[in-house]
Amino acid sequence: MNTTSTYTVILETGYRLFAEHGFEKTSMAMIAKEVGISKPALYYHFLSKEAIIDVLFEEICKDIGFASFFNVQDYSKDNFEEKLIFDGLSIISKQKEDDNYSRIMNQYQALGYRNPKYSRKLLDSLDGFTVGFVELLRHGASIGAMADKDTLIKAQMLTMIIDSMDNFMSYGFEYGYEDIWTKAVKAIVLEDAVK
Amino acid sequence: MNTTSTYTVILETGYRLFAEHGFEKTSMAMIAKEVGISKPALYYHFLSKEAIIDVLFEEICKDIGFASFFNVQDYSKDNFEEKLIFDGLSIISKQKEDDNYSRIMNQYQALGYRNPKYSRKLLDSLDGFTVGFVELLRHGASIGAMADKDTLIKAQMLTMIIDSMDNFMSYGFEYGYEDIWTKAVKAIVLEDAVK
DNA sequence: GTCTATAGAGCGATAGAC
DNA sequence: GTCTATCGCTCTATAGAC
């Protein structure tokens, strides 16, 4: 695929400008100017502004699946806790590389409040994490790495913490993310020594 | 104070319309029409659209302090864990009463990405929660209700979970919030039996 | 404090030529 | 596939009367 086609340049430019100024304050004229073409040329490639926003959304959603970060089959009794911590931290690392990501997602979340077309995919993505964590924790229980208890609640908790870390990081909040994730995982894996 | 003055009606109407349609898609004409006055009358009360948004932000920020939900002096050794769970759940309850709240905050977050005027207060608010939790956990340690260890990390974790629950709830995610919060608190209070 | 009327700018999108 | 020119609309904000 030609990754320097006008089509692709438009998408990359749109991603950057949308993140920087927001969907509404980024006009088609701004995108066209930044790409170096005229407005009608932009409309030749995309039927509307919404079309650009939607195609970008599709592309982003492809990359944020649970399976991109966690591979259940690699988890053994010996490395379970350690690997769960490591894979979670890899999400944090990826996040640090792209400042624009959270800004864009914040806007798709806003769109989702008013249009189920966007909320459905966001919910699916988060649900994928929860389902993935459930599977992972069940696997952990089956190999004796942790207790088989409250798996759904634990999975939901991990999902929320992952999502929240993204959020806080994008806002420049200087939290001890590595320590928080580590503590959360340890609390969940080691749980049930008490109560 | 006259709570049915035009000024107040404008703020209440703005809050509702901004939550429903977003800042950008809510025009001054829409607000004026909904309030039942003309556009210039609206401009008599507020110098600009941004002024309405800013005054609303001030009002909202007043209500979301840590101290509104947690009172450190009420926590004793006997009720510590139970009360921490209860007060956290009271935030969830409040959240459930106002669908508009998270939608509005999502937008102030978006504004904060591009204007420190908004991000500063949001960061202060979250920081207030972290500082409050640190104080609360230190108090818990001093009265022997929990271990005096990793207090900052624990406080940050609780802050993130509270914030994330708000977020997920507003999106209609049917999570076991009560159970998640309860488990998080227990994990933090009971921690250090191991490691 | 509220109105009618309007200025002035920017927007998404298109016509039609090349 | 790209251009110049422009349409039609909506927006924030104001002038000036009452």
Side-chain angles (χ1 to χ4, degrees):
Chain A
M1 191 198 284
N2 183 5
T3 53
T4 53
S5 65
T6 305
Y7 181 89
T8 310
V9 173
I10 291 170
L11 283 181
E12 287 164 357
T13 306
Y15 182 81
R16 188 164 44 81
L17 292 180
F18 285 146
E20 199 168 340
H21 308 290
F23 290 146
E24 319 243 16
K25 295 223 162 137
T26 303
S27 69
M28 292 298 263
M30 285 169 66
I31 298 174
K33 187 178 179 183
E34 190 82 3
V35 172
I37 57 177
S38 67
K39 217 164 34 155
L42 187 52
Y43 276 96
Y44 171 83
H45 293 281
F46 292 91
L47 285 173
S48 65
K49 185 177 171 179
E50 191 182 358
I52 302 180
I53 292 172
D54 288 0
V55 170
L56 272 178
F57 193 40
E58 300 284 340
E59 296 294 322
I60 293 170
C61 285
K62 280 184 194 163
D63 295 335
I64 56 173
F66 178 83
S68 309
F69 302 100
F70 300 90
N71 290 297
V72 178
Q73 70 269 19
D74 294 344
Y75 283 70
S76 68
K77 180 167 183 177
D78 284 341
N79 73 5
F80 189 80
E81 180 181 292
E82 177 191 11
K83 191 151 175 49
L84 183 48
I85 291 171
F86 181 84
D87 286 349
L89 295 182
S90 74
I91 297 183
I92 301 182
S93 303
K94 195 198 172 198
Q95 170 70 22
K96 278 185 182 160
E97 286 169 20
D98 187 3
D99 278 349
N100 290 328
Y101 174 74
S102 289
R103 297 181 180 214
I104 285 272
M105 292 311 280
N106 168 280
Q107 293 177 80
Y108 284 115
Q109 184 176 342
L111 292 183
Y113 280 129
R114 288 142 206 132
N115 188 337
K117 175 171 70 174
Y118 302 100
S119 59
R120 195 157 18 242
K121 284 182 194 243
L122 293 172
L123 289 170
D124 281 352
S125 171
L126 286 175
D127 205 51
F129 269 82
T130 304
V131 169
F133 277 129
V134 164
E135 194 187 337
L136 189 53
L137 295 182
R138 288 238 167 87
H139 173 67
S142 76
I143 61 177
M146 58 178 291
D148 184 12
K149 195 186 152 197
D150 296 339
T151 306
L152 181 57
I153 298 299
K154 288 174 182 170
Q156 291 175 346
M157 205 164 138
L158 291 178
T159 304
M160 291 208 322
I161 291 176
I162 286 280
D163 184 73
S164 195
M165 287 198 298
D166 262 17
N167 231 344
F168 276 51
M169 284 177 66
S170 71
Y171 232 72
F173 230 91
E174 309 226 339
Y175 266 24
Y177 300 106
E178 287 81 358
D179 292 337
I180 292 170
W181 177 249
T182 301
K183 185 173 279 293
V185 169
K186 288 193 174 182
I188 278 172
V189 172
L190 295 174
E191 203 218 19
D192 311 319
V194 277
K195 204 232 155 178
Chain B
M1 192 198 281
N2 183 5
T3 54
T4 54
S5 66
T6 303
Y7 181 90
T8 310
V9 174
I10 291 170
L11 283 180
E12 286 164 357
T13 306
Y15 182 82
R16 188 164 43 82
L17 292 180
F18 284 145
E20 198 167 341
H21 308 290
F23 289 146
E24 319 243 14
K25 296 224 161 132
T26 303
S27 67
M28 292 298 263
M30 285 169 67
I31 297 174
K33 187 178 179 183
E34 190 82 1
V35 172
I37 58 175
S38 68
K39 223 171 16 165
L42 187 52
Y43 276 96
Y44 171 81
H45 293 281
F46 292 91
L47 285 174
S48 66
K49 185 178 172 180
E50 193 181 357
I52 303 180
I53 292 173
D54 288 0
V55 170
L56 271 178
F57 193 40
E58 300 282 341
E59 296 294 321
I60 293 170
C61 286
K62 281 185 195 165
D63 294 337
I64 57 174
F66 178 83
S68 309
F69 302 101
F70 300 90
N71 291 295
V72 178
Q73 70 269 20
D74 295 343
Y75 283 70
S76 67
K77 180 168 184 178
D78 284 341
N79 74 3
F80 189 81
E81 179 181 294
E82 178 191 9
K83 190 148 177 49
L84 183 49
I85 292 171
F86 181 83
D87 286 349
L89 295 181
S90 73
I91 297 184
I92 302 181
S93 304
K94 194 199 171 196
Q95 170 70 21
K96 277 185 181 158
E97 286 168 20
D98 186 2
D99 279 349
N100 290 327
Y101 174 75
S102 289
R103 296 182 180 213
I104 285 273
M105 291 311 281
N106 169 280
Q107 292 177 80
Y108 284 114
Q109 185 177 340
L111 292 183
Y113 280 128
R114 287 141 208 131
N115 188 336
K117 175 171 70 173
Y118 302 101
S119 60
R120 193 154 21 238
K121 284 182 195 244
L122 293 172
L123 289 170
D124 281 351
S125 171
L126 286 173
D127 205 51
F129 268 83
T130 304
V131 169
F133 277 129
V134 164
E135 192 187 341
L136 188 53
L137 296 181
R138 288 238 167 88
H139 174 67
S142 75
I143 60 178
M146 58 178 291
D148 183 13
K149 194 187 152 196
D150 296 339
T151 307
L152 181 58
I153 299 299
K154 289 173 182 170
Q156 291 175 345
M157 204 165 142
L158 291 179
T159 304
M160 290 207 323
I161 291 175
I162 287 280
D163 184 72
S164 196
M165 287 199 298
D166 261 19
N167 230 346
F168 275 51
M169 283 177 68
S170 72
Y171 232 73
F173 231 91
E174 308 226 340
Y175 266 25
Y177 299 105
E178 286 82 357
D179 292 338
I180 291 170
W181 177 248
T182 301
K183 185 174 279 295
V185 169
K186 287 193 175 183
I188 278 173
V189 172
L190 295 172
E191 204 218 19
D192 310 318
V194 276
K195 205 234 157 179

